[in-house]
Amino acid sequence: MKMICFDLDGTLLYHKEGKIPESALRAVEELRKQHKIVISTGRDMDSHYSTMWRDMLGPDAIIHLNGTKISVGDKLIFEHFMDEALLKAIYDFAIERGLCFGTTIGTEDFYTDPKMKAEADAAYFNPVKRNYLPFTEIFERGLKVHAISFAGDVEQNRGLIREHFPSLRLCGFESGKGADVVEEGCSKAEGLKRLCDFFDINMADTAAFGDSQNDIEIIEASGLGIAMGNAVPELKETADYVTEPIWDDGILRACEHFHYFE
């Protein structure tokens, strides 16, 4: 193996305790001696909400925002931005139906319904203090958006959103109260392919750990796909191996199972 990818939330970061288990940190440090370490996440790891975990883990590369932004060290090697006309259509759709979509840019949070976003955060994360601004400021200020998220009941709204926006899919969070909104052609798997080209590594020489719906493509595409024991059922079905849950040293146990430290 030459490159090992880790999702953050629910894979490395255990939200119930608000920390990365010591066993996972030890595993990453040991793996670093022989392999490239990649964080593949729906987050922007350069956001002030995430830099603590980025700096703690010190990855060689990051697949941010489900593949719409990719960095190697301090170098940005790829970016994709959402079309403004699509964003305006999503905004109109959200306002008409009382739904919540939004994004974080820098230290500012642009959501169509801050109250719904706060409720979704409370169902999944520890309390988050956000700097809410009107979603319309994205258009007024000409801001570029890599990706957005949805806050609310995912299963109740998945079909409706898909019907109106066939190029978008919801990748639900563990709580069921929010999701990454992923554009067609964007995924963590596409990000992995770009990193393989950058580092001149064969896809067969990669492994990926994950727990959520937005990990399905990278689990399928990598040389070895490993689902956490706390992963959603559809990810476990597609994975090559299911390890123990995050709270039961799942990362470390999988690495020992595949003799990654030898």
Side-chain angles (χ1 to χ4, degrees):
M1 202 59 61
K2 296 181 180 178
M3 185 156 57
I4 302 182
C5 304
F6 297 95
D7 171 55
L8 183 67
D9 299 289
T11 299
L12 284 172
L13 179 57
Y14 184 28
H15 283 284
K16 186 175 181 180
E17 296 184 355
K19 67 179 184 180
I20 298 174
E22 268 314 308
S23 62
L25 288 171
R26 291 201 314 271
V28 169
E29 286 309 304
E30 191 65 26
L31 291 169
R32 197 188 310 278
K33 298 175 183 178
Q34 302 180 61
H35 312 284
K36 297 287 185 186
I37 301 298
V38 176
I39 302 303
S40 57
T41 176
R43 295 186 184 218
D44 183 347
M45 293 301 292
D46 295 328
S47 161
H48 67 297
Y49 297 121
S50 305
T51 51
M52 177 178 72
W53 309 116
R54 179 199 66 191
D55 296 344
M56 183 183 298
L57 293 162
D60 297 287
I62 303 173
I63 301 168
H64 310 253
L65 298 162
N66 296 306
T68 60
K69 174 183 172 182
I70 303 172
S71 58
V72 177
D74 295 330
K75 183 178 181 181
L76 190 64
I77 68 167
F78 176 79
E79 282 188 288
H80 165 79
F81 295 106
M82 295 185 72
D83 181 74
E84 184 175 319
L86 174 60
L87 279 173
K88 287 182 176 178
I90 293 170
Y91 171 77
D92 291 340
F93 175 81
I95 297 303
E96 180 181 340
R97 291 167 176 79
L99 299 177
C100 180
F101 292 88
T103 189
T104 296
I105 303 174
T107 60
E108 300 173 324
D109 300 282
F110 303 89
Y111 283 86
T112 60
D113 189 324
K115 182 179 178 181
M116 291 180 69
K117 178 57 179 173
E119 290 172 354
D121 282 349
Y124 187 64
F125 297 101
N126 292 323
V128 178
K129 185 177 181 181
R130 294 187 181 273
N131 178 23
Y132 288 113
L133 293 170
F135 192 94
T136 50
E137 284 201 18
I138 290 173
F139 312 125
E140 295 165 5
R141 292 161 56 183
L143 300 176
K144 292 184 175 181
V145 175
H146 291 98
I148 61 173
S149 64
F150 169 79
D153 191 308
V154 176
E155 292 310 315
Q156 181 178 329
N157 292 283
R158 188 191 299 276
L160 177 67
I161 293 169
R162 186 70 171 177
E163 177 185 347
H164 283 79
F165 300 100
S167 66
L168 305 179
R169 68 186 189 279
L170 296 187
C171 294
F173 302 148
E174 182 182 359
S175 67
K177 299 301 182 182
D180 290 330
V181 180
V182 182
E183 284 191 86
E184 185 176 337
C186 299
S187 69
K188 295 182 181 183
E190 290 301 315
L192 178 59
K193 292 173 186 176
R194 288 188 167 91
L195 284 177
C196 282
D197 289 341
F198 183 90
F199 288 118
D200 193 23
I201 292 175
N202 193 297
M203 284 286 285
D205 294 325
T206 66
F209 287 78
D211 74 299
S212 298
Q213 292 176 352
N214 66 348
D215 295 309
I216 291 175
E217 289 91 349
I218 196 170
I219 290 291
E220 292 176 335
S222 61
L224 179 66
I226 302 171
M228 303 299 291
N230 51 285
V232 296
E234 54 266 48
L235 188 71
K236 291 181 179 180
E237 291 171 6
T238 197
D240 299 301
Y241 180 77
V242 179
T243 187
E244 282 74 19
I246 184 173
W247 55 82
D248 195 19
D249 302 330
I251 297 289
L252 179 64
R253 290 176 183 235
C255 291
E256 291 174 340
H257 175 82
F258 289 105
H259 306 290
Y260 282 171
F261 303 144
E262 297 177 2

